[in-house]
Amino acid sequence: MKKTLIAAALLAGFAGAAQAETSVTLYGIVDLGVGYQKIKGGPGDFDGSKFGLVSGNQNGSRWGLRGTEDLGGGTRAVFTLESGFEANNGRSAQGSRLFGRQSTVGLANDAWGQLDFGRQTNIGSKYFGSIDPFGAGFGQANIGAGFSALNTVRYDNMIQYQTPSYSGFQVGAGYSFNTGSGATSPDSFRTNENQRAITAGIRYANGPLNVAASYDQLNQVSSLDDEKVRSWNVGGSYDFETSSWLWLTAKPATAFSVAKACRPSARAIRSVSPQLSAVRTVRRKAASAPTRGWSALRLRSVAQASCSVRGSVLTRVAMIR
């Protein structure tokens, strides 16, 4: 009887150790609400409005699996499979891909960093998300509306490496053998018949200070265009606890923004989100005269929390030649 109990205890111990070394997490977000949108202007002097269910008001709806397994010596095998979908109709997002948001497998170690293989976002989207007052969410209000290279850009077939954080400093770089977008033959056998990409960046995030710089380059399909599309971005924020200063610049140097934004509650942000489209309207109207001065729009929530969005007009897209 005593031997049986000892064997049972050993088996339980081994099972506990195995459970501690391997973990898989199921996670997700369902973002669905009722919204009103009005568009006026553009080609043909369009004028129309829409009222109904809207998926992804703050963040895109998704579900995913994230796993890790201890390989010994501090090294872990990691993977992430993340699928986006439209909550109002159940359709897959990201071009109807099964795991369009992210599909990676890799190795991680606290001493030397993390190496990931597969479909994932570029370095700029990773490092500037925490600088954006809206956390890369809320559609037109987020940082990607003015700087396309930071607009949650995803590349297929990418190898990406990131160092650990050394006293707040972190560096990352990646190369995509085929971005999966813009190429005439998305899976061509010849390397130069696929659109390739380089992404790199550095950031410092320690205490209230958060600054980052990124660079992206697209190598076009050789049969179409030998020129390279390049983009660089520099930005930062400082948290004063009651408010944060945000500064961004991108190539060309005339496209920059300085914004002071308060940190309202999530409820307050949602209450002003229907008005945020007006920000882009103000920017477009001032596009013809970027030196005219400051353009400002005050957004107030029902809770009387307010934010000011001030800055020069974001008229240039970061991805330029």
Side-chain angles (χ1 to χ4, degrees), residues 122 124 149 155 198-200 214-218 229-232 319:
N122 63 343
Y155 296 141
I198 298 172
T199 179
S214 69
Y215 174 80
D216 281 81
Q217 175 179 303
L218 293 180
V229 180
R230 297 182 176 91
S231 167
W232 59 264
M319 279 290 190

Side-chain angles (χ1 to χ4, degrees), residues 142-196:
N142 73 52
I143 196 171
F147 300 92
S148 61
L150 309 179
N151 195 23
T152 319
V153 178
R154 297 181 175 93
Y155 296 141
D156 293 350
N157 307 294
M158 181 156 66
I159 299 176
Q160 188 177 103
Y161 170 72
Q162 296 183 80
T163 67
S165 177
Y166 297 109
S167 300
F169 284 100
Q170 187 176 21
V171 178
Y175 180 81
S176 170
F177 296 93
N178 180 2
T179 63
S181 60
T184 55
S185 180
D187 295 303
S188 176
F189 176 78
R190 296 183 179 88
T191 301
N192 62 359
E193 291 181 358
N194 294 314
Q195 179 173 269
R196 291 138 288 146

Side-chain angles (χ1 to χ4, degrees), residues 3-81:
K3 291 181 179 179
T4 303
L5 291 175
I6 292 174
L10 288 172
L11 288 173
F14 288 136
Q19 192 172 30
E21 292 174 354
T22 303
S23 67
V24 177
T25 303
L26 173 65
Y27 64 94
I29 295 174
V30 179
D31 188 326
L32 183 64
V34 177
Y36 172 81
Q37 184 178 22
K38 181 175 177 63
I39 299 176
K40 186 174 182 179
D45 196 22
F46 180 83
D47 187 356
S49 62
K50 180 175 67 174
F51 177 75
L53 290 181
V54 180
S55 178
N57 294 278
Q58 178 178 351
N59 299 109
S61 297
R62 76 205 60 173
W63 70 272
L65 294 168
R66 184 182 296 117
T68 178
E69 182 174 356
D70 188 1
L71 301 179
T75 301
R76 307 177 302 278
V78 295
F79 76 88
T80 300
L81 299 173

Side-chain angles (χ1 to χ4, degrees), residues 242-263:
T242 57
S243 64
S244 297
W245 280 96
L246 167 69
W247 171 76
L248 291 167
T249 185
K251 186 179 181 181
T254 54
F256 68 97
S257 172
V258 180
K260 181 181 179 182
C262 71
R263 284 177 169 249

Side-chain angles (χ1 to χ4, degrees), residues 100-132:
R101 294 185 63 88
Q102 185 172 342
S103 175
T104 57
V105 64
L107 297 172
N109 189 296
D110 294 338
W112 52 258
Q114 183 162 333
L115 183 65
D116 289 305
F117 303 82
R119 177 176 169 84
Q120 54 196 304
T121 59
N122 63 343
I123 294 293
S125 298
K126 286 182 169 68
Y127 287 3
F128 281 83
S130 57
I131 293 176
D132 186 355

